Coordinates of all heavy atoms in Angstrom, one line a residue:
Chain A
Y1347 N 2.0 -36.7 9.3 CA 1.9 -35.3 9.1 C 1.1 -34.8 10.3 O -0.2 -34.8 10.2 CB 1.2 -34.9 7.8 CG 2.0 -35.3 6.6 CD1 1.5 -36.2 5.7 CD2 3.2 -34.7 6.3 CE1 2.2 -36.5 4.5 CE2 3.9 -35.0 5.1 CZ 3.4 -35.9 4.2 OH 4.1 -36.2 3.1
L1350 N -2.3 -36.7 11.1 CA -2.5 -37.6 10.0 C -1.4 -38.7 9.9 O -0.3 -38.4 9.8 CB -2.7 -36.9 8.7 CG -3.0 -37.7 7.5 CD1 -4.5 -37.8 7.3 CD2 -2.3 -37.1 6.3
A1352 N 0.1 -40.8 7.4 CA 0.2 -40.9 6.0 C 0.7 -42.3 5.6 O 0.2 -42.8 4.5 CB 1.0 -39.8 5.4
G1370 N -3.0 -47.0 -6.0 CA -3.8 -46.5 -4.9 C -4.6 -45.2 -5.2 O -4.1 -44.5 -6.1
P1371 N -5.7 -45.0 -4.6 CA -6.4 -43.8 -4.9 C -5.7 -42.5 -4.5 O -4.7 -42.6 -3.7 CB -7.7 -43.9 -4.1 CG -7.4 -44.9 -3.0 CD -6.4 -45.8 -3.5
N1372 N -6.1 -41.4 -4.9 CA -5.5 -40.1 -4.5 C -5.5 -40.0 -3.0 O -6.5 -40.3 -2.3 CB -6.2 -38.9 -5.1 CG -5.8 -38.7 -6.5 OD1 -4.7 -39.0 -6.9 ND2 -6.7 -38.2 -7.3
G1373 N -4.3 -39.6 -2.4 CA -4.2 -39.4 -1.0 C -3.9 -40.7 -0.2 O -3.9 -40.7 1.0
S1374 N -3.6 -41.8 -1.0 CA -3.4 -43.1 -0.3 C -1.9 -43.1 0.3 O -1.6 -44.0 1.0 CB -3.7 -44.3 -1.2 OG -2.9 -44.1 -2.4
G1375 N -1.1 -42.2 -0.2 CA 0.3 -42.2 0.4 C 1.4 -42.6 -0.6 O 2.5 -42.9 -0.2
K1376 N 1.1 -42.6 -1.9 CA 2.1 -43.0 -2.9 C 3.2 -42.1 -2.9 O 4.4 -42.4 -2.8 CB 1.4 -43.2 -4.3 CG 0.2 -44.1 -4.3 CD -0.3 -44.2 -5.7 CE -0.9 -43.0 -6.2 NZ -2.2 -42.5 -5.5
T1377 N 2.9 -40.8 -3.1 CA 3.9 -39.8 -3.2 C 4.7 -39.7 -1.9 O 6.0 -39.5 -1.9 CB 3.3 -38.4 -3.5 OG1 2.6 -38.5 -4.7 CG2 4.4 -37.3 -3.6
T1378 N 4.1 -39.8 -0.8 CA 4.8 -39.8 0.5 C 5.8 -41.0 0.6 O 6.9 -40.8 1.1 CB 3.7 -39.9 1.7 OG1 2.8 -38.9 1.5 CG2 4.4 -39.8 3.0
T1379 N 5.3 -42.2 0.1 CA 6.3 -43.3 0.1 C 7.5 -43.0 -0.7 O 8.6 -43.2 -0.3 CB 5.6 -44.5 -0.6 OG1 4.3 -44.7 0.1 CG2 6.4 -45.8 -0.4
Q1417 N 5.7 -36.3 -9.5 CA 4.3 -36.1 -9.8 C 4.0 -34.8 -10.5 O 3.3 -34.7 -11.5 CB 3.5 -36.2 -8.5 CG 2.0 -36.1 -8.7 CD 1.3 -36.5 -7.4 OE1 1.9 -36.8 -6.4 NE2 0.0 -36.4 -7.5
D1493 N 6.3 -41.0 -10.6 CA 5.2 -40.8 -9.7 C 4.1 -40.2 -10.6 O 4.1 -39.0 -11.0 CB 5.6 -39.8 -8.6 CG 4.5 -39.8 -7.5 OD1 3.5 -40.5 -7.6 OD2 4.7 -39.1 -6.5
E1494 N 3.1 -41.0 -10.9 CA 1.9 -40.6 -11.7 C 2.4 -39.8 -12.9 O 2.0 -38.6 -13.1 CB 1.0 -39.8 -10.9 CG 0.7 -40.4 -9.5 CD -0.8 -40.4 -9.2 OE1 -1.6 -40.3 -10.1 OE2 -1.1 -40.6 -8.0
Chain B
K1596 N 9.9 -25.3 -3.5 CA 10.0 -26.6 -2.8 C 10.2 -27.8 -3.8 O 11.1 -28.6 -3.6 CB 8.7 -26.8 -2.0 CG 8.9 -28.1 -1.1 CD 7.6 -28.3 -0.2 CE 7.4 -29.7 0.0 NZ 6.1 -30.2 -0.4
A1766 N 6.7 -25.4 6.4 CA 7.1 -26.0 5.1 C 6.2 -27.3 5.0 O 5.9 -27.7 3.9 CB 8.5 -26.4 5.1
I1767 N 5.9 -27.9 6.1 CA 5.1 -29.1 6.0 C 3.7 -28.8 5.8 O 2.9 -29.5 5.1 CB 5.3 -30.0 7.3 CG1 6.8 -30.4 7.4 CG2 4.4 -31.2 7.3 CD1 7.2 -30.9 8.8
K1768 N 3.2 -27.7 6.4 CA 1.8 -27.4 6.4 C 1.4 -26.7 5.1 O 0.3 -26.9 4.6 CB 1.4 -26.6 7.6 CG 1.2 -27.4 8.8 CD 1.0 -26.6 10.1 CE 1.3 -27.4 11.3 NZ 2.1 -26.6 12.3
P1770 N 1.9 -26.8 1.8 CA 1.3 -27.5 0.7 C -0.1 -28.0 0.9 O -0.9 -27.9 0.0 CB 2.2 -28.7 0.5 CG 3.5 -28.3 1.2 CD 3.1 -27.5 2.3
T1771 N -0.4 -28.4 2.1 CA -1.8 -28.9 2.3 C -2.8 -27.7 2.3 O -3.9 -27.8 1.8 CB -2.0 -29.6 3.7 OG1 -1.0 -29.1 4.5 CG2 -1.9 -31.1 3.5
K1774 N -3.5 -27.0 -1.1 CA -4.4 -28.0 -1.7 C -5.8 -27.7 -1.3 O -6.7 -27.7 -2.1 CB -4.0 -29.4 -1.2 CG -3.6 -30.4 -2.3 CD -3.3 -31.7 -1.7 CE -1.9 -32.2 -2.1 NZ -1.5 -33.4 -1.3
Ligands
ADP60 N1 3.0 -31.9 3.2 C1 1.9 -32.5 3.8 N2 1.4 -32.1 4.9 C2 0.3 -32.7 5.5 N3 -0.3 -33.7 4.9 C3 0.2 -34.2 3.7 C4 1.3 -33.6 3.1 N4 1.5 -34.2 1.9 C5 0.6 -35.2 1.9 N5 -0.2 -35.2 2.9 C6 -1.4 -36.0 3.2 O1 -0.9 -37.4 3.2 C7 -1.7 -38.3 2.6 C8 -1.0 -39.0 1.5 O2 -0.7 -38.1 0.5 P1 0.1 -38.5 -0.8 O3 1.3 -39.2 -0.4 O4 0.4 -37.2 -1.6 O5 -0.9 -39.4 -1.6 P2 -0.9 -39.9 -3.1 O6 0.4 -39.5 -3.7 O7 -1.2 -41.3 -3.0 O8 -2.0 -39.2 -3.8 C9 -2.9 -37.4 2.0 O9 -4.0 -37.5 3.0 C10 -2.4 -36.0 2.0 O10 -3.4 -35.1 2.3

Side-chain angles (χ1 to χ4, degrees):
Chain A
Y1347 292 115
L1350 180 90
N1372 280 330
S1374 56
K1376 303 182 294 293
T1377 301
T1378 304
T1379 308
Q1417 179 170 0
D1493 194 359
E1494 311 226 21
Chain B
K1596 186 178 150 239
I1767 297 166
K1768 280 173 200 133
T1771 28
K1774 238 182 234 167

